[in-house]
Amino acid sequence: MIRAVVFDMDGLLIDTEQHLHACWGQAIREAGFPAERDALLGIRSLAREFAVPYFREKFGPEADCDSLWARRRELMEERIARFGIHKKAGLDELLDYLEANGYKKAVATATGPEKTEDYLTRIGVYHRFDRVVCATTVPHGKPMPDVYLYACGQIGERPEDCLALEDSDNGALAAHRAGCPVVMVPDLAGPLPETEAFLTGVASDLSKVIPILEGLR
């Protein structure tokens, strides 16, 4: 029985994934490497410990990952200052439904604690979650299951009773490895075939998660 919903943040609750995508692309191009779309999509929700070998595989051992990260952070700050943070479609409707029906709610994100609190406060939903967990507090980030296992433990529920919502393949894999049923709400791209094979469902926006939950009751 689903007793809780655990949300990713970037690209799911807020529109920052498009900015991260653009910033990674610019940083990679400035460093003299090809910023192909598939390569950029593969970075989504990928913890740094896994992103470094990913970059080295794509661009060779000469890739200066520290410089890439620093430039991406710089560009991201500029874009957020310029465009702001906006909540994704259907979020308020889904949160209202979850609260009305007694579901627990948590966030499990790869973003650090300060930015997570800032972003969710800006869109007025930080206080609506029972727990907010960041991958920086666990040994391994996504696509490993640590952050989802920790989030489920923090709200006192078994992973199999927590529906995970993700917009990226790496994030969906992390939740699946933790033992959570997973619904994908695609942002920049839909699920890969290997991801689709284990998904409980796919929703076009967050409000469309409600009928999936109704079907699981």
Side-chain angles (χ1 to χ4, degrees):
M1 177 182 292
I2 301 300
R3 301 177 184 275
V5 176
V6 184
F7 295 75
D8 175 47
M9 185 180 72
D10 291 287
L12 185 88
L13 299 179
I14 54 178
D15 65 346
T16 44
E17 197 66 57
Q18 61 174 313
H19 300 313
L20 287 163
H21 184 81
C23 292
W24 274 125
Q26 183 174 339
I28 289 167
R29 285 190 296 271
E30 288 178 356
F33 300 111
E36 297 176 355
R37 185 172 186 271
D38 287 348
L40 294 176
L41 290 174
I43 302 169
R44 294 181 302 157
S45 294
L46 200 61
R48 183 163 180 161
E49 65 179 303
F50 305 111
V52 168
Y54 178 84
F55 281 136
R56 297 262 165 82
E57 178 186 352
K58 294 291 182 183
F59 308 131
E62 67 275 12
D64 185 344
C65 295
D66 289 338
S67 294
L68 285 173
W69 246 272
R71 182 56 176 151
R72 194 275 295 164
R73 283 195 299 267
E74 181 181 62
L75 291 167
M76 189 67 175
E77 293 291 338
E78 293 173 0
R79 285 186 70 91
I80 296 302
R82 179 181 177 187
F83 296 107
I85 297 291
H86 304 283
K87 69 177 70 174
K88 298 286 284 186
L91 175 56
D92 289 330
E93 186 178 347
L94 176 56
L95 291 176
D96 290 344
Y97 170 85
L98 296 176
E99 290 165 3
N101 288 276
Y103 290 94
K104 296 178 183 178
K105 307 177 301 299
V107 174
T109 177
T111 300
E114 290 185 6
K115 280 191 170 59
T116 296
E117 183 172 357
D118 176 37
Y119 291 169
L120 295 182
T121 299
R122 288 197 204 189
I123 63 167
V125 300
Y126 184 81
H127 65 287
R128 300 188 70 174
F129 293 97
D130 299 292
R131 290 288 187 276
V132 176
V133 174
C134 301
T136 52
T137 63
V138 296
H140 304 289
K142 300 175 184 180
M144 299 305 288
D146 303 38
V147 69
Y148 274 100
L149 291 171
Y150 186 59
C152 294
Q154 286 292 295
I155 56 176
E157 299 292 348
R158 302 180 303 170
E160 56 264 39
D161 296 327
C162 297
L163 184 70
L165 303 183
E166 277 282 355
D167 70 292
S168 72
D169 295 284
N170 286 320
L173 180 57
H176 175 65
R177 284 172 167 170
C180 299
V182 187
V183 168
M184 194 164 178
V185 186
D187 182 29
L188 299 180
L192 294 169
E194 55 266 35
T195 302
E196 195 166 12
F198 64 71
L199 292 178
T200 295
V202 178
S204 58
D205 69 46
L206 289 167
S207 69
K208 303 305 188 297
V209 175
I210 295 172
I212 296 175
L213 281 165
E214 285 289 312
L216 295 172
R217 286 170 70 93

